[in-house]
C-alpha cells in the first residue's frame, strides 16, 4: 500500500492511465510479475470509486477529501515531513491542525487494509505519508507480517527530535516487523531516534520493542535496468537520440538535468554552476548546451512556487547573457516527458547532473547509467543522494559548492572516452546487478521472514 495508486484519471481519454514517479517506476513491474493488490489514493478528491484493474494491477482506492489533500497531503506530508526529513533545508511548518488529519488518514488506510487482508497476506507499507499505519494495524489486532519502506532519508536524531509528534511516528513505524531504508545512514539515524524517544532497545538492525523484534535493513531501491538497457538498443531509440542531438544544434557536449521540480533537487545551484562554467570558459560558449527538464510537482505548496520562479529567473539570466543567434545555452522544459522521450534525453546526454541537496536515493542517476550501453558519458552525482552510497565510481560532488560543480562539469566535458568508460563500466555493473526485481524480491522475502537477513 502507498499514499497514491500508480494511476490517474485522464479526462481526455476517459480512462485510468499509469502516472510517472519514483515509486511507480519501482513497484509496477513487481506487482505485474507477482500479483497482489495496491491500496492507495486515486489522485482525485472525493468520491469512493470501486476496486479496478489497470495494466494487470488490482487497485483498491482509499478516498481523500479536498480537506485531507490540503491538510494531510500538502500540509503535514509535504510541509512538515518532507522538509524535516530532507535535513530541514526549508523551514519545517508544525501545525496541530495538520497533524490530526495525518493521524486520521493513516487510521483510514489501516482500516481498509485490516478489513481486506487474509491471515496469510504480507502487508507492505510505502513511505512517509503512511508512517502510522503499521502501529494502527497492530492496535487493530492484525497479526500479519508487516514491512515498511521509507523512500526518503530518515534524518539525524537532532533534526527528527524537533517533531512534537516524534514518539507517535516512531511507535507507528515500530508496528512493522521489517523496516527498509535506502541508506545505512538512515538506518543508523532511525535506531538512534527509536532508542532516544521510545522504549526500544538494542542495536539499530534488531530493535526490541514491546516484546517484539523489529529488523531494519539497508535496501537501496533500484530500477528495471534490463528493460532500460533493452530499450536503449532499439534502433528507434538510437534514432530519437540522434535526432535530439541534431535539434540541439549538434553541440560538443549535452549536459542534462531531469528532476521533479523540488527544492531538494539542487536545480538552482546546478544552473548557477553552468553559468559559472560559461563565464570561466569562453571557449565552451556556442559548443555546449544544458537541458533541464523539470516535472511540475506540488504546485499548491508555497515553497514550490518560490523555487520555480527562482529557477526560471536563472534560466532567463543565462540565456539573456550568453545566448546568441543559433545557440541557446539552456533548454528548459517545465513538463513531464514520455518514457521514450526521456530515454532519448539520457542517451543523448554526455554529462548527467544529479545534484540534489538531499535525496533518499535518486532513480534518475540509475536510469542514466542503465542506458549507457557504450559505457560513455559521465554521471556527476551529489554526495547527499542516497545513490552515492552505492555509485561510488561516479564523479561525486558537494551540490552546495557551485565552483566545485562547475569544475566537475568542465572536467567531464574535457574527459576522454577511456576515462569515461572505466568509470561507467563500474557503475553499470552495479545497476545491472542490483535491479528493482532483486530489490523487491529481497524486501518481500524479508517481510515474509524467509530472506537472508544480511543484505
Ligand atoms: P523522487 O523524488 O520523485 O522519488 P527520483 O528517484 O529521481 O525522485 O524518481 C523520479 C522518477 O520520475 C524517475 O523514475 C524518472 O524517470 C521520472 N521522471 C523524472 N523526470 C521526468 C520527466 N521529466 N518526465 C518523465 N518522467 C520523469 C522519491 C525519492 C527518491 C527515491 C524515489 C524512489 O525522493 O529519493 O529515489 O522516491 O524510492
Amino acid at each position: 500500500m502507498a499514499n497514491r495508486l500508480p494511476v490517474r484519471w485522464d479526462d481526455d481519454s476517459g480512462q485510468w492511465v499509469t502516472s510517472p514517479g519514483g515509486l511507480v517506476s519501482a513497484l509496477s513491474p513487481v506487482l505485474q510479475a507477482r500479483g497482489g493488490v495496491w491500496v492507495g489514493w486515486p489522485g482525485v478528491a472525493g468520491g469512493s470509486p470501486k476496486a479496478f484493474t489497470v495494466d494487470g494491477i488490482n487497485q483498491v482506492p482509499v478516498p481523500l477529501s479536498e480537506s485531507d489533500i490540503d491538510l494531510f497531503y500538502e500540509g503535514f506530508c509535504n510541509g512538515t515531513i518532507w522538509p524535516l526529513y530532507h535535513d530541514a533545508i526549508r523551514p519545517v511548518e508544525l501545525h496541530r491542525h495538520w497533524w490530526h488529519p495525518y493521524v486520521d488518514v493513516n487510521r483510514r488506510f489501516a482500516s481498509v487494509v485490516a478489513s481486506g487482508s487474509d491471515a496469510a497476506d504480507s502487508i507492505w507499507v510505502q513511505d512517509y505519508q503512511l508512517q502510522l499505519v503499521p502501529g494502527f494495524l497492530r492496535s487493530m489486532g492484525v497479526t500479519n507480517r508487516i514491512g515498511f519502506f521509507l523512500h526518503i532519508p530518515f534524518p539525524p536524531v537532532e533534526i527528527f527530535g524537533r517533531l512534537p509528534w516524534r514518539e507517535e511516528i516512531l511507535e507507528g513505524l515500530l508496528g512493522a516487523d521489517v523496516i527498509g531504508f535506502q541508506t545505512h545512514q538512515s538506518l543508523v539515524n532511525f535506531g538512534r531516534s527509536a532508542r532516544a524517544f521510545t522504549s526500544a532497545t538494542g542495536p539499530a538492525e534488531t530493535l526490541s520493542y514491546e516484546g517484539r523484534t523489529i529488523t531494519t535493513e539497508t535496501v537501496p531501491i533500484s530500477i528495471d535496468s534490463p528493460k532500460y538497457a533493452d530499450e536503449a538498443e532499439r534502433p528507434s531509440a538510437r534514432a530519437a537520440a540522434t535526432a535530439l542531438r541534431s535539434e540541439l544544434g549538434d553541440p560538443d557536449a549535452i549536459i542534462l538535468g531531469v528532476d521533479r521540480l523540488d527544492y531538494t533537487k539542487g536545480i538552482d545551484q546546478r544552473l548557477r554552476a553552468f553559468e559559472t562554467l560559461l563565464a570561466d570558459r569562453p571557449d565552451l560558449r556556442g559548443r555546449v548546451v544544458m537541458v533541464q527538464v523539470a516535472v511540475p510537482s506540488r504546485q499548491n505548496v508555497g515553497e514550490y512556487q518560490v523555487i520555480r520562479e527562482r529557477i526560471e529567473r536563472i534560466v532567463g539570466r543565462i540565456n539573456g547573457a550568453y545566448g546568441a543567434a543559433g545557440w541557446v545555452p539552456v533548454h528548459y522544459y517545465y513538463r513531464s516527458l514520455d518514457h521514450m522521450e526521456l530515454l532519448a534525453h539520457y542517451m543523448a546526454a554526455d554529462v548527467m547532473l544529479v545534484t540534489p541537496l538531499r535525496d533518499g536515493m535518486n532513480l534518475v542517476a540509475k536510469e542514466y547509467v542503465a542506458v549507457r550501453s557504450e559505457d560513455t558519458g559521465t554521471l556527476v552525482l551529489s554526495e547527499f543522494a542516497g545513490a552515492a552510497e552505492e555509485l561510488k565510481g561516479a564523479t561525486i560532488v558537494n551540490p552546495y559548492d557551485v565552483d566545485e560543480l562547475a569544475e566537475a562539469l568542465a572536467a567531464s566535458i574535457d574527459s576522454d572516452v577511456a576515462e569515461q568508460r572505466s568509470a561507467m563500466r563500474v557503475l553499470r555493473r552495479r545497476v545491472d546487478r542490483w535491479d528493482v526485481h532483486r530489490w523487491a524480491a529481497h524486501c518481500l522475502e524479508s517481510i515474509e521472514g524467509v530472506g537472508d537477513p544480511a543484505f
Side-chain angles (χ1 to χ4, degrees):
M1 66 185 306
N3 173 53
R4 281 293 303 268
L5 287 176
V7 294
R8 66 179 171 80
W9 181 255
D10 181 37
D11 273 334
D12 294 339
S13 61
Q15 57 182 3
W16 294 99
V17 292
T18 302
S19 46
L23 185 58
V24 178
S25 316
L27 291 187
S28 295
V30 178
L31 281 173
Q32 278 155 350
R34 293 178 160 241
V37 175
W38 190 313
V39 178
W41 174 51
V44 236
S48 77
K50 302 230 162 8
F52 56 94
T53 302
V54 178
D55 289 344
I57 300 174
N58 300 321
Q59 323 268 341
V60 174
V62 179
L64 294 184
S65 66
E66 293 281 4
S67 153
D68 291 332
I69 294 159
D70 185 25
L71 305 173
F72 153 78
Y73 183 64
E74 286 167 0
F76 196 77
C77 292
N78 293 331
T80 304
I81 295 287
W82 183 267
L84 184 82
Y85 282 31
H86 289 87
D87 286 353
I89 54 178
R90 283 292 184 282
V92 177
E93 290 196 55
L94 300 170
H95 302 296
R96 280 167 289 189
H97 69 277
W98 284 358
W99 165 248
H100 296 299
Y102 184 79
V103 175
D104 182 48
V105 169
N106 272 254
R107 196 182 284 116
R108 273 154 41 203
F109 269 81
S111 301
V112 169
V113 172
S115 61
S117 47
D118 296 330
D121 290 342
S122 292
I123 300 168
W124 193 11
V125 183
Q126 304 290 329
D127 225 1
Y128 65 103
Q129 300 91 351
L130 301 177
Q131 294 173 99
L132 305 179
V133 167
F136 280 138
L137 287 170
R138 294 298 177 217
S139 67
M140 290 169 188
V142 169
T143 54
N144 301 48
R145 295 278 298 175
I146 302 175
F148 183 93
F149 187 79
L150 186 67
H151 290 257
I152 65 174
F154 195 92
V157 62
E158 295 79 5
I159 292 180
F160 181 75
R162 294 179 199 174
L163 194 62
W165 309 283
R166 59 198 187 187
E167 281 174 48
E168 287 91 330
I169 296 272
L170 291 165
E171 285 163 4
L173 290 168
L174 290 166
D177 297 295
V178 183
I179 308 176
F181 295 97
Q182 302 273 30
T183 62
H184 179 67
Q185 190 58 56
S186 285
L187 182 154
V188 169
N189 290 343
F190 175 76
R192 287 200 181 121
S193 281
R195 285 189 301 264
F197 305 124
T198 74
S199 60
T201 54
E205 287 80 2
T206 46
L207 289 162
S208 300
Y209 177 69
E210 295 192 338
R212 296 168 37 247
T213 300
I214 292 93
T215 307
T216 65
E217 294 189 306
T218 307
V219 265
I221 198 168
S222 192
I223 57 162
D224 195 348
S225 8
K227 178 167 163 271
Y228 275 88
D230 284 353
E231 286 168 347
E233 293 296 328
R234 287 189 201 158
S236 59
R238 287 173 185 269
T242 308
L244 175 63
R245 192 163 198 108
S246 113
E247 281 155 23
L248 291 169
D250 273 321
D252 289 356
I254 298 173
I255 300 161
L256 178 65
V258 172
D259 315 77
R260 263 187 322 99
L261 200 153
D262 195 297
Y263 53 78
T264 59
K265 300 290 184 184
I267 302 172
D268 48 339
Q269 286 86 350
R270 183 187 309 167
L271 286 163
R272 287 199 283 121
F274 184 59
E275 187 177 31
T276 304
L277 179 75
L278 294 179
D280 293 352
R281 290 276 305 265
D283 61 303
L284 292 178
R285 294 180 202 160
R287 290 178 42 216
V288 299
V289 299
M290 176 160 178
V291 178
Q292 176 63 52
V293 190
V295 188
S297 182
R298 304 176 193 169
Q299 295 160 75
N300 296 329
V301 180
E303 283 291 334
Y304 287 73
Q305 292 157 11
V306 172
I307 188 71
R308 179 182 172 194
E309 279 163 23
R310 184 179 312 152
I311 287 166
E312 294 184 354
R313 235 187 354 258
I314 303 172
V315 171
R317 191 173 72 207
I318 299 172
N319 287 342
Y322 295 103
W327 179 58
V328 178
V330 182
H331 294 251
Y332 167 77
Y333 323 140
Y334 178 62
R335 62 183 172 88
S336 187
L337 299 183
D338 73 31
H339 180 69
M340 291 312 287
E341 247 184 315
L342 181 63
L343 206 78
H345 279 75
Y346 290 146
M347 291 171 71
D350 303 289
V351 184
M352 184 79 218
L353 277 179
V354 178
T355 56
L357 306 179
R358 179 57 80 188
D359 215 332
M361 173 53 52
N362 197 295
L363 296 178
V364 167
K366 293 187 172 183
E367 289 165 0
Y368 177 69
V369 168
V371 307
R372 306 306 300 176
S373 52
E374 282 160 24
D375 290 333
T376 54
T378 304
L379 173 64
V380 177
L381 180 61
S382 160
E383 65 185 270
F384 304 121
E389 249 187 36
E390 266 184 289
L391 303 181
K392 294 198 174 74
T395 300
I396 303 288
V397 291
N398 173 359
Y400 290 92
D401 187 340
V402 169
D403 289 330
E404 186 193 340
L405 262 179
E407 280 163 28
L409 263 178
S412 306
I413 292 166
D414 295 338
S415 67
D416 60 38
V417 167
E419 285 171 86
Q420 294 170 19
R421 287 215 162 107
S422 71
M424 189 58 73
R425 259 189 216 125
V426 178
L427 300 179
R428 268 179 32 97
R429 216 172 294 137
R430 171 67 199 178
V431 172
D432 288 348
R433 198 173 62 81
W434 184 252
D435 65 17
V436 74
H437 305 292
R438 288 200 59 191
W439 171 80
H442 179 93
C443 291
L444 289 168
E445 282 170 9
S446 296
I447 297 167
E448 286 155 11
V450 298
D452 171 3
F455 166 67

